């Protein structure tokens, strides 16, 4: 029995509606600032959390019952795809994202992995044609299978490097075939459990070369989407090499990739790194490397990557504010890298989770657009740094420490401390959220 085909596409019913399966804030066709909300937000459903994850946790296995479980045959993979596209339509998702291992079962050898991925992406391509749902990004699962336990590109065993490279080529080809707008690399097990057995420099060099091979291949096949790296500080490994945005920026520069690769920033990963989501987005934007976002929410107490659906409008508003400041999404979008709680068993829970998350994002985006248009934060910022526009201030940056020291003495420069106005700015934000 199909799970999602009885849900007709969710409709916008306005903020006063009490219909739990209607949109209250996300009206996809609403035009704000010259763009529909659909095009501002570019929502994507994550195939892995919604269809491959079975509801297990470290203490217990599957809690969900789905017609495509167990996920051990191509017949089951086709049922999963049918259901996935029913869900995409039920929540009006314009995009989806996937790993190879989400779409069909891992076969245990590369030749069979290639053939079965080709087969299932043909099938998925037909669903895309029929429904108009598009691929935001594809990626390779280089972390679930046992062979990746010590990493993929950073593995001490060259045979694993080889299989990883072949798998990424396969997934780039599949993303290209499905018209994907980005290709993502999340370094699942690129990191270490203990430095006692890790040649850190060699592993970083191998990862740098691997990413260069990815970029070379992108040009070879004429893939016009963006290549994105997704920062995360730990989990599954004790230390992940793509720790946070700052670490990734330094890494990409070191290996000459700063103009070729951008970042896919995830809310929960930002929290794990001890940052806020808007910090990571603002820093990526400042470096010209903002690509896309994985929208979710972490539990602030547990210290795990809990991948919950977002429900905090002020946090989301600040994230979108920085995205808007950077010019909005181009190839990127809002991928819900989020999963149900394991007690949320029903098909309706998954539909409601996406609808609610889209509403939260729409509220956040509308607040961000209003703040951006009002310009209050920007003018406060301009005012705070205004003195740097003067010739005498600019001369400080051009001069030497000797020049500056002489000036401080000659002009008897004595700074007059000024308020940072943080509470007033927080009050300002609260008027919009
Ligand atoms: C894991 C994570 C991944 C990536 C894709 O924490 O976020 O799902 O987004 O591999
Ligand atoms: Co993610």
């Amino acid at each position: 029995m199909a799970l999602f085909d009885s849900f007709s596409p969710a409709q916008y019913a306005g903020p006063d509606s009490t219909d739990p399966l209607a949109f209250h804030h996300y009206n996809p066709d609403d035009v704000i600032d010259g763009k529909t909300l659909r095009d501002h937000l570019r929502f994507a459903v994550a195939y892995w959390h919604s269809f491959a994850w079975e509801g297990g946790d470290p203490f217990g296995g599957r809690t969900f019952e789905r017609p495509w479980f167990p996920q051990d045959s191509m017949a089951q993979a086709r049922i999963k795809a049918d259901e996935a596209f029913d869900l995409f339509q039920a929540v009006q998702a314009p995009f989806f994202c996937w790993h190879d291992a989400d779409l069909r079962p891992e076969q245990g050898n590369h030749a069979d992995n290639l053939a079965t991925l080709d087969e299932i992406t043909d099938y998925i391509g037909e669903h895309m044609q029929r429904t108009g749902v598009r691929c935001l990004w594809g990626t390779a699962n280089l972390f679930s299978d046992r062979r990746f336990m010590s990493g993929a590109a950073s593995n001490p065993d060259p045979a694993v490097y080889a299989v990883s490279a072949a798998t990424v080529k396969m997934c780039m080809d599949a993303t290209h075939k499905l018209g994907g707008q980005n290709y993502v690399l999340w370094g699942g097990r690129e990191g270490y459990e203990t430095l006692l057995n890790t040649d850190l420099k060699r592993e970083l060099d191998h990862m740098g070369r691997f990413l260069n091979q990815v970029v070379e291949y992108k040009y070879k096949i004429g893939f016009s989407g963006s290549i994105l790296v997704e920062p995360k500080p730990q989990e599954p490994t004790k230390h992940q090499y793509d720790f946070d945005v700052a670490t990734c920026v330094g890494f990409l520069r070191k290996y000459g990739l700063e103009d070729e690769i951008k970042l896919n920033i995830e809310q929960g990963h930002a929290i794990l790194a001890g940052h806020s989501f808007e910090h990571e987005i603002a820093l990526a934007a400042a470096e010209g490397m903002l690509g896309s976002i994985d929208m979710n929410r972490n539990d602030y107490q547990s210290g795990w990557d809990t991948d919950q659906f977002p429900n905090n409008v002020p946090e989301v508003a600040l994230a979108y504010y920085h995205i808007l400041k950077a010019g909005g999404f181009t190839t990127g979008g809002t991928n819900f890298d989020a999963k149900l709680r394991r007690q949320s068993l029903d098909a309706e829970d998954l539909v409601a989770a996406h609808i609610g998350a889209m509403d939260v994002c729409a509220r956040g985006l509308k607040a961000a657009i209003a703040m951006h248009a009002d310009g209050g934060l920007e003018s406060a910022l301009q005012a705070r740094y205004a003195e740097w526009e003067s010739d005498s201030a600019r001369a400080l940056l051009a001069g030497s420490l000797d020049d500056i020291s002489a000036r401080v003495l000659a002009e008897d420069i004595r700074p007059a401390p000024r308020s940072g106005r943080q509470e007033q700015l927080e009050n300002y934000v609260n008027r919009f959220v």
Side-chain angles (χ1 to χ4, degrees):
M1 195 193 70
L3 282 184
F4 296 108
D5 68 346
S6 60
F7 293 89
S8 42
Q11 299 300 319
Y12 176 70
D16 297 330
S17 156
T18 55
D19 179 350
L21 295 182
F23 293 120
H24 299 104
H25 302 280
Y26 177 54
N27 184 356
D29 296 319
D30 240 13
V31 176
I32 310 185
D33 238 3
K35 248 202 248 184
T36 61
L37 286 186
R38 185 186 295 104
D39 290 343
H40 272 292
L41 290 158
R42 294 168 59 83
F43 288 132
V45 173
Y47 216 96
W48 51 101
H49 284 319
S50 291
F51 301 101
W53 185 61
E54 301 186 344
D57 73 5
F59 299 93
R62 176 194 305 166
T63 58
F64 300 153
E65 284 170 0
R66 304 286 192 243
W68 59 94
F69 293 168
Q71 304 176 70
D72 56 2
S73 69
M74 290 304 283
Q76 293 292 79
R78 276 189 291 276
I79 295 172
K80 179 161 57 170
D82 299 342
E83 294 278 3
F85 278 80
D86 284 347
L87 176 85
F88 302 158
Q89 290 186 290
V91 302
Q92 289 208 48
F95 293 101
F96 71 106
C97 301
W98 53 270
H99 303 83
D100 51 339
D102 309 325
L103 302 183
R104 54 91 180 94
E106 157 72 42
Q107 305 293 306
N109 71 82
H110 190 59
D112 291 337
N113 274 342
L114 260 175
T116 49
L117 190 66
D118 205 37
E119 181 186 328
I120 197 71
T121 47
D122 281 348
Y123 190 70
I124 282 175
E126 288 166 20
H127 275 307
M128 291 171 69
Q129 280 277 323
R130 178 179 59 80
T131 60
V133 177
R134 293 180 290 161
C135 168
L136 186 65
W137 50 264
T139 186
N141 180 326
L142 302 178
F143 45 88
S144 293
D145 193 87
R146 181 170 175 264
R147 64 183 178 271
F148 300 120
M149 70 181 184
S150 316
S154 65
N155 200 292
D157 181 354
V160 180
Y161 186 103
V163 170
S164 305
T167 304
V168 167
K169 173 192 158 10
M170 168 182 81
C171 290
M172 289 176 75
D173 287 338
T175 304
H176 193 35
K177 163 174 150 184
L178 297 178
Q181 311 222 342
N182 308 270
Y183 183 82
V184 167
L185 296 115
W186 169 58
R189 293 185 191 273
E190 311 290 26
Y192 60 77
E193 294 300 331
T194 172
L195 264 184
L196 296 174
N197 65 12
T198 302
D199 181 344
L200 196 112
K201 180 178 182 327
R202 180 191 283 278
E203 293 199 357
L204 289 169
D205 284 347
H206 289 179
M207 279 177 58
R209 180 61 197 136
F210 192 91
L211 287 182
N212 270 283
Q213 288 169 329
V214 166
V215 170
E216 287 160 16
Y217 190 63
K218 162 190 157 149
Y219 287 112
K220 172 155 189 245
I221 61 175
F223 177 66
S224 59
S226 310
I227 304 289
L228 307 175
V229 163
E230 182 173 322
K232 184 174 183 179
Q234 74 271 334
E235 200 194 44
T237 64
K238 173 180 163 55
H239 175 87
Q240 307 258 139
Y241 293 134
D242 296 332
F243 196 92
D244 60 0
V245 167
T247 310
C248 287
V249 168
F251 177 87
L252 293 173
R253 289 232 166 85
K254 175 171 179 201
Y255 294 99
L257 293 164
E258 65 273 23
D259 297 328
E260 301 292 348
I261 296 186
K262 294 189 165 72
L263 300 171
N264 182 43
I265 298 168
E266 175 162 331
Q267 208 267 3
H269 299 177
I271 305 303
L272 286 178
H275 301 307
S276 64
F277 197 17
E278 71 264 24
H279 164 89
E280 291 290 81
I281 291 171
L283 183 57
E287 300 286 356
M289 292 189 197
L290 177 59
S292 196
I293 60 171
D294 272 9
M295 178 62 85
N296 56 22
R297 166 172 58 111
N298 252 23
D299 185 296
Y300 281 101
Q301 285 80 45
S302 78
W304 286 9
D305 188 12
T306 57
D307 285 328
Q308 291 163 250
F309 282 88
N311 77 347
N312 186 321
V313 174
E315 277 182 3
V316 166
L318 288 174
Y320 282 120
Y321 177 78
H322 286 283
I323 291 168
L324 287 173
K325 250 183 89 161
F329 292 127
T330 53
T331 61
T334 304
N335 171 44
F336 291 116
D337 195 352
K339 63 186 185 222
L340 295 172
R341 298 307 87 192
R342 71 195 293 269
Q343 298 173 50
S344 303
L345 301 180
D346 299 341
E348 184 175 310
D349 291 318
L350 193 59
V351 175
H354 282 94
I355 290 174
M358 290 172 172
D359 266 347
V360 167
C361 291
R363 283 182 79 173
L365 176 80
K366 285 183 210 174
I369 290 175
M371 263 187 324
H372 194 239
D374 184 76
L377 289 179
E378 195 53 36
S379 57
L381 207 63
Q382 298 292 337
R384 191 157 189 241
Y385 294 90
E387 286 185 23
W388 281 103
E389 300 305 320
S390 69
D391 288 343
S392 75
R394 286 214 192 90
L396 293 175
L397 300 180
S400 67
L401 291 188
D402 266 344
D403 302 335
I404 295 174
S405 170
R407 240 183 90 183
V408 170
L409 288 173
E411 296 172 27
D412 190 18
I413 293 180
R414 300 182 192 208
R418 250 175 252 169
S419 171
R421 303 214 185 286
Q422 180 168 339
E423 294 77 7
Q424 295 192 46
L425 293 169
E426 287 168 351
N427 296 349
Y428 170 86
V429 169
N430 275 332
R431 283 177 29 215
F432 295 87
V433 298

